[in-house]
């Protein structure tokens, strides 16, 4: 089954609703629209013939009159069946269109007094034009012309005026049917184009995250009902930040496109390849178990390493593999298992494939990885909030990253452990996430804030602490909550002094102040450093400021911090 389709295959025929979304919702909406249209058409047709029959328009009792009554009953039953059957096969849809043409033709042939009934041909014709494909439209149109033409010749042959009028009806109905069909196809092509744009990653041309998640959900539903197996491959390019740092972001974009090309050539028609993050890709494989997915993942890994060897930059990829039902029974649990395996591949040295069914020793301890992934998911949430704040306040998202990078360099300089250096970098990036709860007019105010306004602004520390704690980052929340404290006790929210302020919080305060002084058209680095030194002991920790001075001296005071 194709991964992107607007058509609904039903018993050999295809009917289309060009306005319905993809997936299960499209099937439900299309089926319901077809059912209700047929109920309306055949219900009205049955009502019209019933009125003609019982109103005395059909003359004295006769075989023709009885057959017309049979048509009434058939059309009424058709309407009831359509209203009751929730998932009618497509052949029933086609049969109803044929039935409509036959019933109208019979009414005309047996009861010439009902000549206006010819207008009811429009119902099956337009239904076929809107719901059917080209072959169904041609079939119903030819059937209409043949049956109505035969009725004109054999029933109304001696009425030239009626023949001319009927020819006009035939021409008008065929033209209307053709226009509706062409309009439907044009709208369908437009909707498909818009869907492709919405489902495609603009950089690489492959599916994006939204398309991947929808496909995974749909294919998992199919696996539960039919094949019973499905696999997911999670891929992450190794040390891709260094590619951007060493070669520039344009080269990084080209590297992503090349990786997508190689991955696509390996996956081919076996599944759906998508770019789900910056340098992250994923593949969903219907009808594949974990062993087959692992073989494909290894082929992808080898192909990328081989095809980019000797190039600038050379690329490798770490891969995690998981499958339904062994690794989980929901999209989130399967993806978590694949990401957990990917994490193990990274920790085991990168450029390798790890499957979720391998030993606990190879996966470095499932419990530890679970906590690491949960923390990472919380960090990603906090980072997205921080980037949103940067875009809102500064029009770009690099400011927080620069502060986080500088804070990490200072933390390393003062001798913090490697793990704490990583956490300080993250804390520097998300330090002001609580500002999302402060009104814009206060953030943009150029006047001295009133005491109540200052209280509102200072409340962002509490908001940020609560957000980061909810993201599963309690230690970082504590550092962020103290980075507005001052060594002399003049800070907030608790008025802490000296060493009572956590060292990471003091580091973040210095990094943020230096960035604020030098950002954009700010002062020169040497001037900013001099101002920080003047505030040592009151606003800033002297040890941290001198660590910043050594970092700047090593990098050059005018060096730009590069971040991915």
């Amino acid at each position: 089954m194709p991964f992107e389709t607007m058509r609904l295959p039903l018993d050999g025929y295809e009917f289309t609703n060009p306005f319905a979304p993809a997936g299960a919702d499209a099937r439900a909406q299309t089926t319901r629209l077809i059912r209700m249209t047929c109920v309306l058409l055949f219900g009205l047709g049955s009502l019209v013939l019933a009125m003609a029959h019982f109103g005395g328009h059909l003359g004295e009792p006769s075989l023709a009159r009885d057959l017309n009554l049979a048509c009434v009953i058939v059309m009424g039953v058709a309407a009831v069946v359509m209203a009751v059957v929730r998932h009618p096969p497509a052949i029933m849809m086609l049969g109803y269109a044929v039935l409509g043409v036959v019933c109208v033709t019979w009414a005309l042939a047996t009861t010439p007094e009902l000549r206006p009934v010819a207008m009811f041909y429009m119902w099956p014709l337009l239904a076929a034009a809107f719901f059917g494909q080209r072959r169904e439209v041609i079939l119903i149109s030819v059937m209409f012309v043949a049956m109505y033409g035969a009725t004109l010749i054999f029933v109304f042959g001696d009425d030239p005026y009626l023949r001319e009028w009927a020819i006009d009806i035939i021409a008008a109905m065929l033209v209307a049917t053709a226009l509706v069909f062409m309009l439907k196809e044009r709208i369908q092509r437009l909707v498909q184009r818009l869907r492709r744009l919405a489902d495609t990653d603009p950089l690489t041309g492959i599916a994006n995250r939204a398309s991947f998640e929808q496909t995974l959900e749909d294919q998992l539903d199919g696996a539960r009902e039919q094949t019973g197996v499905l696999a997911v491959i999670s891929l992450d390019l190794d040390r891709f930040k260094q590619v951007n740092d060493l070669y520039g972001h344009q080269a990084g974009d080209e590297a992503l496109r090349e990786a997508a090309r190689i991955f696509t050539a390996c996956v081919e028609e076996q599944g759906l390849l998508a770019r789900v993050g910056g340098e992250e890709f994923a593949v969903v494989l219907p009808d594949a178990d974990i062993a087959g997915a692992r073989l494909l993942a290894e082929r992808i890994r080898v192909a990328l390493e081989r095809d980019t060897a000797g190039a600038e930059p050379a690329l490798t990829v770490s891969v995690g593999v998981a499958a339904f039902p062994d690794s989980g029974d929901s999209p989130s649990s399967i993806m978590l298992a694949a990401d957990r395996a990917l994490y193990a591949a990274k920790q085991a040295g990168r450029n390798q494939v790890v499957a979720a069914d391998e030993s606990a020793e190879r996966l470095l301890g499932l419990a530890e990885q679970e906590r690491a992934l949960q923390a990472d998911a919380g960090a990603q949430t906090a980072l997205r909030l921080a980037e949103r704040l940067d875009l809102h306040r500064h029009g770009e998202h690099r400011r927080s990253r620069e502060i986080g990078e500088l804070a990490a360099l200072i933390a390393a300089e003062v001798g913090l452990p490697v793990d704490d250096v990583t956490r300080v970098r993250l804390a520097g990036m998300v330090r002001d996430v609580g500002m999302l709860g402060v009104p814009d007019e206060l953030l943009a105010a150029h006047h001295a804030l009133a005491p109540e306004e200052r209280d509102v602004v200072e409340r962002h520390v509490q908001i940020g602490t609560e957000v980061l704690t909810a993201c599963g980052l309690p230690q970082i929340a504590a550092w962020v909550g103290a980075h507005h404290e001052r060594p002399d006790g003049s800070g907030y929210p608790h008025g802490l002094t000296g060493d009572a302020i956590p060292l990471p919080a003091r580091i973040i305060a210095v990094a943020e102040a230096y960035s604020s002084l030098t950002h954009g058209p700010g002062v020169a680095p040497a001037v900013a450093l001099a101002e920080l030194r003047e505030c040592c002991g009151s606003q800033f920790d002297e040890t941290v400021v001198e660590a910043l001075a050594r970092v700047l001296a090593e990098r050059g005071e005018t060096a730009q911090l590069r971040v991915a």
Side-chain angles (χ1 to χ4, degrees), residues 87-108:
H87 301 287
I91 192 65
M92 184 183 293
M93 304 293 100
L94 182 61
Y96 276 16
V98 172
L99 177 63
V101 174
V102 171
C103 287
V104 174
T105 302
W106 177 258
L108 287 173

Side-chain angles (χ1 to χ4, degrees), residues 178-467:
L179 288 176
V180 169
F181 181 74
M182 289 188 292
L183 179 62
K184 180 209 58 178
E185 288 204 325
R186 183 173 181 179
I187 294 174
Q188 188 179 60
R189 287 193 297 268
L190 177 61
V191 171
Q192 288 176 336
R193 181 181 178 186
L194 293 175
R195 284 188 54 228
R196 282 194 296 270
L197 292 174
D199 292 343
T200 302
D201 173 56
L203 178 63
T204 61
I206 62 176
N208 60 16
R209 186 183 191 91
S211 179
F212 173 82
E213 291 176 346
Q214 181 63 57
T215 299
L216 175 58
E217 184 175 344
D218 290 345
Q219 295 300 321
L220 186 57
D221 289 341
R224 292 191 186 101
E225 297 174 0
Q226 300 174 10
T227 62
V229 292
L230 174 142
V232 169
I233 300 175
S234 182
L235 309 103
D236 189 279
L237 299 180
D238 296 326
R239 298 186 174 90
F240 194 74
K241 176 183 179 298
Q242 296 180 7
V243 174
N244 285 325
D245 286 348
L246 296 175
Y247 300 98
H249 289 280
Q250 185 173 359
D253 290 346
E254 184 57 38
L256 289 171
R257 283 190 285 266
E258 177 64 12
R261 183 193 65 78
I262 295 172
F263 295 164
T264 300
C266 293
V267 175
E268 296 179 328
E269 300 298 324
Q270 300 177 63
L272 178 77
L273 169 69
R275 182 185 175 209
V276 297
E279 65 270 23
E280 303 169 14
F281 297 81
V283 182
V284 57
L285 297 170
D287 308 330
D289 58 14
I290 200 164
R294 199 187 193 292
L295 290 175
L296 176 59
E298 183 65 23
R299 189 156 63 246
I300 291 172
R301 186 196 67 78
V302 171
L304 181 68
E305 184 178 24
R306 180 191 64 232
D307 293 355
T308 62
E312 294 291 342
L315 300 174
T316 61
V317 64
S318 298
V319 190
V321 180
F324 168 82
D326 297 333
S327 306
D329 59 0
S330 67
S332 59
S333 62
I334 296 172
M335 284 305 303
L336 179 62
D339 287 341
R340 187 167 58 212
L342 172 61
Y343 178 80
K346 291 283 189 183
Q347 295 300 309
R350 298 182 174 84
N351 191 28
Q352 55 189 285
V353 177
V354 173
D357 65 345
E358 295 183 1
S359 66
E361 291 76 14
R362 180 68 187 278
L363 293 176
L364 306 178
L366 295 180
E368 289 76 11
Q369 291 180 53
E370 189 77 35
R371 287 194 294 271
L373 282 175
Q374 288 176 352
D376 182 65
Q380 293 302 317
T381 299
L383 285 172
R384 283 194 291 270
L385 291 173
E387 289 180 355
R388 177 182 173 187
L389 180 65
D390 270 352
L391 288 172
H392 182 66
R393 295 175 62 187
H394 308 295
E396 46 88 20
H397 63 267
R398 296 182 61 83
R399 175 79 188 284
S400 290
R401 290 181 178 270
E402 291 173 355
I403 293 174
E405 187 73 10
L406 180 57
L409 292 173
I410 298 173
E413 183 63 29
V414 300
L416 287 183
V418 174
D419 288 347
D420 282 348
V421 170
T422 301
R423 295 189 185 96
V424 168
R425 181 178 187 272
L426 176 59
M429 294 169 67
V430 301
R431 74 207 178 282
D432 275 345
V433 70
M435 285 292 189
L436 288 170
V438 178
D440 290 344
E441 57 268 21
L442 292 183
L443 295 177
H446 297 291
H447 61 275
L449 296 178
E452 61 273 11
E453 292 177 327
R454 181 173 296 277
D455 289 341
V456 172
V457 173
E458 292 180 357
R459 201 177 301 150
H460 83 275
V461 175
Q462 179 183 353
I463 297 173
T465 300
E466 292 174 353
V467 169

Side-chain angles (χ1 to χ4, degrees), residues 29-59:
Q29 290 187 28
T30 300
T31 301
R32 184 176 184 276
L33 182 58
I34 294 173
R35 286 172 51 229
M36 292 302 101
T37 301
C38 289
V39 168
L40 177 64
L41 295 182
F42 286 94
L44 287 177
S46 178
L47 179 62
V48 169
L49 288 179
M51 291 173 63
H53 180 85
F54 294 107
H57 297 288
L58 303 183

Side-chain angles (χ1 to χ4, degrees), residues 10 82 169 378-379 387:
L10 300 167
M82 185 57 65
I169 289 181
E387 289 180 355

